[in-house]
Amino acid sequence: MTTMMNPMAPSAAPAGVGGVVRHTCRVPMRDGVHLATDVYLPAGHTGPLPVLLERTPYGKDEPTRRERTAANPAPLRRGEVAERFAREGYAVVVQDCRGRFDSEGQFTKYLGEAHDGADTMAWIVAQPWCNGAVGTYGLSYAAHTQTALASQRPAGLKAMFLECGGFANAYRGGIRHGGAFELKQAVWALRNARSGSNSLSDAARQALDQADIGEWFLRLPWTRGDSPLQWAPEYEDYLFGQWERGSFDDHWRQPELYAAGHYGAFEGVAVMLMCGWWDPYAQTTTDNYLGLSQRRQGDVRMVLGPWTHGERSVPYAGDVDFGRDAVLDGTLAPDYVHMRLAWFNHWLRGQPLPERQDEAVRYFRMGGGTGRRTPQGRLDHGGAWRSAARWPVPATTLVPWYLAPGGLLSQSVPQAEAQAGFCFDPARPVPTVGGSVTSGEPLMVAGAYDQRTHDGLFGAQAPFGPLAGRDDVLVFQTPPLDSDVEITGPVTIALWVSSTAPDTDFTAKLIDQYPPSEDYPEGYAMNLTDGILRCRYRDSWEQPGLMAPGEVVEITIEPMPTSNLFRRGHRIRLDISSSNFPRFDVNPNTGAPEGSAGPRVVAFNTVHMGPGRESCVVLPMQPMASAEDSPAR
């Protein structure tokens, strides 16, 4: 099927499928390492062509479950996608990242992709089949590789299609968030060390296959040599390297991790950004949009849907359904392949964009459904697509809703000082129930869920029930709304807090609280977005500082952006606690160095309210202009 070729010339005997010829080659990098690369060319083409490039750690011709359509859920191989692009007249290059699958070298997650991407681009533009115009595409890690290579200002880069990734700042989202460490990185490391690593012995691979990630998570904290990755040292080293680097330093400013520091290199490049509300890269996506919008030259567009990571062709996220219009297929484009082709046809060939793809911002405002249980057993939350000229959307008003005594969320500041507290025991963390998660299976899954525990939820303990029933979760909510409330944009939570510990975490979760109904007699607490703040970073990401016991300090929590219609009769609810496990690592409450093993202590944490200590959630509210958005039910 494939034929090896000289790194700088087409193969004399390529393989062909369906009018497409595939060459396999090994492209040299500046340090002498060779990366396995497939080149797909239209059979019988004459003259140079525009080129599309994907760089991936997941296998250049492996199946990818995110490459599917609503009509055909069977996943395509990356090579099949490349063949479709090639049949449309593109030269397509798909490459294994360093140290993965057939490529040489040692893999260090994320790092090295800037130079390897730039070297690959230089190789491409020197080929006789390249006309000098290159577009890049890819999801998640293959989006991170795009921003990494773009930071090097490679010749020929004209357009990019970034989905669910392309770190604006990996320290703020994707590796760490609010100072805490995203434990999806540990799950990812184990899964990918087992599959695709080019440096493991058979014995090491067998040991990894036998490792039970759930048992290991229950044994946290780990140390080097005593972790599920002890049999794959290069994966263990990069994991602990990420975990232990708690402060924002030059490591986090490397181009692979910090596009925000390199936006000037994107000058003149057209960028499409796409992500889902329940994706850990939603904030990266909006941050990249804001940063790239400031360039003198270079178009930028953005699409935000009601999706988990790359799941753009299903109408649900978790246990909540958003209606048939929620899928990309048939609403934004015929399907995902056609959507990318339209983007590249426009910027690499000068063809007009389809009407539905010609808007600066397209976003899905969730809410407005019947609230009933669908035949598939999910909550019918509904929603509709909206468009805007920019982000945040015009007419956004940032409105504070204040925490008040008695668990009230109000637009008025409480008249008297008050406080509410709880014991945070690191040995008994609040379990993760949905949210902005990826690479977490089987320990955690993404999406919207009723915020309650059950047998089978990782980390949950009997007696099961609503998270609101836990003694370490504070609940603040409005009375039932007397009219609809729409929010779209960034959400921030400002809290005045104190603790008996020198360092602790505070979490905040925004919820659409449904009233009781026939299908949901206890109501339905639908999570919208959540975040965390490790208190040592309350004043500075670069210079952490511990707290004095009982000291009252102000902190800010920044969850993912969202868009939702709270219907009349619902409540806007905010849950406050100090853990969300296994989504984030659990603070030991001691002030110990990040990622280290050691004792854990119980902390008593307090939220303060009232004049001078105005704890609140700031919501990006939208005017209710259309009567169709406000029907009673």
Side-chain angles (χ1 to χ4, degrees):
M1 178 66 182
T2 60
T3 304
M4 298 304 296
M5 61 183 269
N6 182 290
M8 299 302 291
S11 168
V17 175
V20 174
V21 177
R22 183 179 72 180
H23 306 281
T24 298
C25 57
R26 305 188 75 80
V27 176
M29 301 293 103
R30 64 189 66 183
D31 61 355
V33 167
H34 290 77
L35 303 188
T37 305
D38 287 344
V39 179
Y40 297 80
L41 299 172
H45 79 93
T46 58
L49 303 168
V51 180
L52 302 181
L53 167 66
E54 180 181 18
R55 302 190 63 252
T56 177
Y58 300 122
K60 56 187 172 56
D61 196 22
E62 293 293 309
T64 169
R65 66 187 178 93
R66 267 80 184 203
E67 287 285 3
R68 55 180 181 165
T69 66
N72 182 7
L76 299 173
R77 300 187 336 273
R78 281 188 175 78
E80 291 179 283
V81 177
E83 289 167 5
R84 292 190 180 188
F85 291 152
R87 284 196 291 269
E88 297 295 327
Y90 288 94
V92 186
V93 178
V94 188
Q95 183 179 78
D96 286 334
C97 290
R98 176 182 295 250
R100 297 289 296 167
F101 288 87
D102 293 333
S103 284
E104 299 171 355
Q106 178 174 313
F107 177 71
T108 301
K109 191 178 183 185
Y110 304 129
L111 302 184
E113 305 296 0
H115 287 164
D116 286 354
D119 291 351
T120 301
M121 285 287 295
W123 177 84
I124 288 171
V125 298
Q127 301 307 303
W129 36 260
C130 175
N131 72 355
V134 182
T136 61
Y137 68 96
L139 162 80
S140 194
Y141 198 108
H144 304 326
T145 61
Q146 293 182 66
T147 50
L149 71 83
S151 72
Q152 306 302 294
R153 300 179 185 267
L157 182 60
K158 304 299 182 184
M160 308 168 71
F161 199 114
L162 297 165
E163 185 184 9
C164 304
F167 287 124
N169 185 341
Y171 180 86
R172 299 290 305 279
I175 299 179
R176 308 190 73 89
H177 180 78
F181 184 63
E182 297 191 32
L183 287 173
K184 71 181 180 71
Q185 293 291 346
V187 183
W188 190 99
L190 179 59
R191 180 183 301 125
N192 286 277
R194 289 168 171 167
S195 172
S197 173
N198 66 9
S199 61
L200 291 183
S201 67
D202 291 341
R205 199 177 305 278
Q206 183 178 9
L208 287 170
D209 288 342
Q210 294 174 350
D212 186 317
I213 190 64
E215 290 183 3
W216 275 104
F217 265 59
L218 293 175
R219 286 178 51 186
L220 280 164
W222 307 328
T223 58
R224 280 184 171 86
D226 184 25
S227 81
L229 290 158
Q230 60 190 276
W231 301 282
E234 66 191 69
Y235 287 74
E236 187 179 62
D237 284 347
Y238 87 66
L239 176 68
F240 276 89
Q242 294 174 350
W243 205 334
E244 294 164 351
R245 289 183 177 273
S247 300
F248 185 68
D249 58 15
D250 286 344
H251 171 85
W252 298 105
R253 295 184 178 92
Q254 295 180 86
E256 293 90 345
L257 307 177
Y258 191 46
H262 302 271
Y263 287 142
F266 291 68
E267 194 71 29
V269 180
V271 183
M272 170 63 81
L273 303 161
M274 190 163 79
C275 200
W277 296 128
W278 279 283
D279 191 293
Y281 300 114
Q283 185 174 357
T284 265
T285 300
T286 56
D287 285 352
N288 278 337
Y289 178 85
L290 291 171
L292 294 172
S293 296
Q294 304 304 310
R295 298 172 300 164
R296 294 186 301 274
Q297 294 181 332
D299 198 281
V300 59
R301 314 283 174 94
M302 182 170 66
V303 174
L304 297 164
W307 309 315
T308 58
H309 194 63
E311 296 292 353
R312 66 195 86 75
S313 293
V314 296
Y316 56 86
D319 195 39
V320 174
D321 192 284
F322 302 101
R324 63 183 183 181
D325 288 343
V327 300
L328 177 152
D329 311 63
T331 55
L332 303 179
D335 58 37
Y336 187 42
V337 168
H338 282 87
M339 186 174 187
R340 286 172 292 180
L341 276 172
W343 180 253
F344 292 123
N345 286 342
H346 179 66
W347 295 107
L348 303 184
R349 286 177 159 160
Q351 298 178 13
L353 274 172
E355 181 179 354
R356 287 175 292 181
Q357 291 177 234
D358 197 29
E359 293 157 314
V361 176
R362 290 274 286 176
Y363 66 95
F364 192 90
R365 190 226 58 203
M366 302 176 289
T370 65
R372 302 294 302 273
R373 191 186 300 272
T374 69
Q376 294 75 31
R378 297 185 177 92
L379 173 74
D380 175 22
H381 190 63
W385 286 100
R386 299 285 188 265
S387 61
R390 60 183 181 275
W391 183 269
V393 303
T396 299
T397 303
L398 299 178
V399 178
W401 295 69
Y402 298 97
L403 282 59
L408 182 65
L409 200 60
S410 169
Q411 289 186 276
S412 300
V413 178
Q415 295 183 352
E417 293 185 11
Q419 60 188 44
F422 57 92
C423 283
F424 163 38
D425 183 354
R428 186 176 164 266
V430 177
T432 298
V433 183
S436 301
V437 176
T438 185
S439 303
E441 298 87 350
L443 305 185
M444 47 185 161
V445 294
Y449 291 88
D450 194 3
Q451 294 298 290
R452 59 177 58 241
T453 64
H454 54 81
D455 188 14
L457 178 73
F458 183 81
Q461 300 176 358
F464 305 111
L467 292 183
R470 289 179 59 113
D471 57 11
D472 56 357
V473 176
L474 302 178
V475 176
F476 298 88
Q477 57 187 345
T478 66
L481 297 171
D482 56 15
S483 61
D484 292 354
V485 172
E486 179 178 341
I487 66 168
T488 295
V491 175
T492 57
I493 299 97
L495 300 177
W496 289 86
V497 301
S498 61
S499 177
T500 57
D503 184 48
T504 193
D505 293 348
F506 280 88
T507 63
K509 183 181 297 178
L510 182 65
I511 291 169
D512 186 340
Q513 177 62 61
Y514 273 73
S517 66
E518 181 180 351
D519 287 338
Y520 300 98
E522 298 181 48
Y524 194 103
M526 175 187 161
N527 58 302
L528 293 172
T529 186
D530 65 82
I532 191 169
L533 193 282
R534 187 148 292 171
C535 287
R536 69 177 71 181
Y537 302 108
R538 64 195 180 277
D539 295 324
S540 171
W541 303 117
E542 292 86 356
Q543 298 179 342
L546 300 181
M547 300 184 296
E551 176 188 12
V552 180
V553 299
E554 186 178 18
I555 66 171
T556 301
I557 301 173
E558 297 178 288
M560 298 295 113
T562 191
S563 179
N564 187 66
L565 180 69
F566 294 87
R567 302 305 300 270
R568 187 177 69 191
H570 292 211
R571 299 173 187 259
I572 302 172
R573 175 173 141 186
L574 185 71
D575 286 4
I576 305 295
S577 190
S578 287
S579 54
N580 183 352
F581 177 78
R583 184 179 172 197
F584 301 114
D585 66 336
V586 180
N587 197 318
N589 295 329
T590 62
E594 298 281 9
S596 61
R600 298 178 174 189
V601 300
V602 176
F604 190 83
N605 292 341
T606 302
V607 175
H608 300 262
M609 300 163 275
R613 294 174 175 174
E614 299 168 354
S615 294
C616 63
V617 54
V618 180
L619 298 180
M621 295 181 62
Q622 307 300 318
M624 297 301 304
S626 175
E628 69 181 20
D629 286 337
S630 306
R633 69 167 177 80

